[in-house]
Amino acid sequence: MAPVFKLTNAETRLADLLWANAPIASMEMIKIAEREFGWKKSTTFTNLKFLIGKGLAKNENSCVTMLYSRDEIIAGQSHQYVDDAFGGSLPMFIASYTSNRKLLPEQVEEIKRLIDEHERGGGNG
């Protein structure tokens, strides 16, 4: 199962920055965070410390790397949400998601393709 990380908005912003640039020198990360978010050095390092503490990133020899991909984190959070909100029922999630909106034909085809792939043994779960 994919890892589940509960991230604040600030941690998510920094994680996105890191996924786009890592591995990255910590001083370069600070410059980008200042330019992109208006953050001070202390704000960037505080959020990096939280990402490291949660096991999502590491900083060795002033080089910051991510320990999980963005896709892995999204998968973990998605599974956790469906488990928590819908008792693990993907059909209940889909019914809820589509109750007030219409799926585009290409979305329906993509869902069918994913189901077919899963039935052929290509699914990840």
Side-chain angles (χ1 to χ4, degrees):
M1 178 123 173
V4 177
F5 295 93
K6 301 237 188 258
L7 303 177
T8 65
N9 287 339
E11 291 166 353
T12 300
R13 291 176 79 189
L14 184 59
D16 285 339
L17 181 151
L18 293 171
W19 279 314
N21 295 284
I24 185 172
S26 57
M27 293 310 293
E28 183 63 22
M29 175 193 63
I30 290 166
K31 290 177 188 174
I32 295 172
E34 181 179 12
R35 183 178 68 239
E36 296 291 319
F37 312 139
W39 288 0
K40 295 180 181 179
K41 178 179 176 180
S42 60
T43 303
T44 302
F45 272 124
T46 296
N47 283 291
L48 177 60
K49 181 178 87 172
F50 292 145
L51 292 179
I52 291 169
K54 291 178 179 186
L56 182 56
K58 69 178 180 177
N59 185 4
E60 292 182 346
N61 301 319
S62 297
C63 182
V64 180
T65 56
M66 297 299 281
L67 300 176
Y68 296 94
S69 72
R70 187 174 192 279
D71 288 344
E72 289 173 307
I73 301 310
I74 290 172
Q77 290 171 329
S78 299
H79 286 277
Q80 189 67 50
Y81 179 73
V82 171
D83 287 348
D84 292 347
F86 300 95
S89 172
L90 186 56
M92 283 178 60
F93 167 75
I94 292 172
S96 176
Y97 184 85
T98 59
S99 66
N100 292 323
R101 66 187 84 175
K102 185 165 174 56
L103 292 176
L104 298 172
E106 52 270 14
Q107 292 172 314
V108 172
E109 289 305 313
E110 178 68 7
I111 291 169
K112 288 178 182 177
R113 185 192 65 75
L114 291 169
I115 291 170
D116 289 344
E117 182 180 294
H118 183 77
E119 287 178 338
R120 288 191 304 269
N124 293 334

